[in-house]
Amino acid sequence: MPSALEITAAALLFTSLGHTVNGRDWQSHASVKALPQEQRTCARTGWFQGSGFILIASLLNYYWSKNPQVLQDPIQKTVAGLFSAILGVSSVYYAANGVTANSVVTALTSALQAYSAFKAN
């Protein structure tokens, strides 16, 4: 049976992939294409940086699943906490702005991250 950290790693991997695909969808919208170059570039770059951030979180969770003792280190715990916090805040922001699907996914991954790093270990 997979550990909570392995499940979190997989969930974050799928979230990263979904995030990337979702970005391609909304960035093809005419209103985004009408933005000035600087704003369009920042929106696109920032979105794909987010996909990379989520992928890094996935890889770290996979590493932690293979070496759970490293999560006893305060720096590693802080990184896990920051992942959970950033995802949680993003979820609230998505919800406040009507982006329900993204809000639900980020809330679930935030909770899963917190559980796997702090409760399951």
Side-chain angles (χ1 to χ4, degrees):
M1 177 150 168
S3 71
L5 287 165
E6 289 172 322
I7 293 168
T8 302
L12 287 164
L13 176 62
F14 287 117
T15 301
S16 176
L17 294 172
H19 190 267
T20 302
V21 169
N22 183 268
R24 293 177 56 93
D25 289 344
W26 69 259
Q27 290 177 30
S28 65
H29 193 274
S31 64
V32 174
K33 290 181 177 183
L35 289 171
Q37 181 66 37
E38 181 178 358
Q39 287 78 14
R40 189 171 61 246
T41 299
C42 289
R44 183 178 184 99
T45 302
W47 187 265
F48 290 114
Q49 285 172 341
S51 295
F53 159 80
I54 300 166
L55 179 60
I56 291 167
S58 172
L59 292 170
L60 269 172
N61 273 273
Y62 182 74
Y63 171 73
W64 294 331
S65 77
K66 300 303 174 200
N67 305 286
Q69 70 282 0
V70 299
L71 276 170
Q72 300 311 310
D73 177 73
I75 298 295
Q76 298 293 323
K77 281 277 197 208
T78 300
V79 170
L82 286 170
F83 284 154
S84 184
I86 290 168
L87 289 164
V89 169
S90 296
S91 175
V92 170
Y93 190 75
Y94 282 135
N97 288 282
V99 188
T100 306
N102 290 23
S103 176
V104 170
V105 169
T106 54
L108 291 173
T109 54
S110 173
L112 188 56
Q113 176 68 80
Y115 171 77
S116 66
F118 293 95
K119 193 76 168 157
N121 283 307

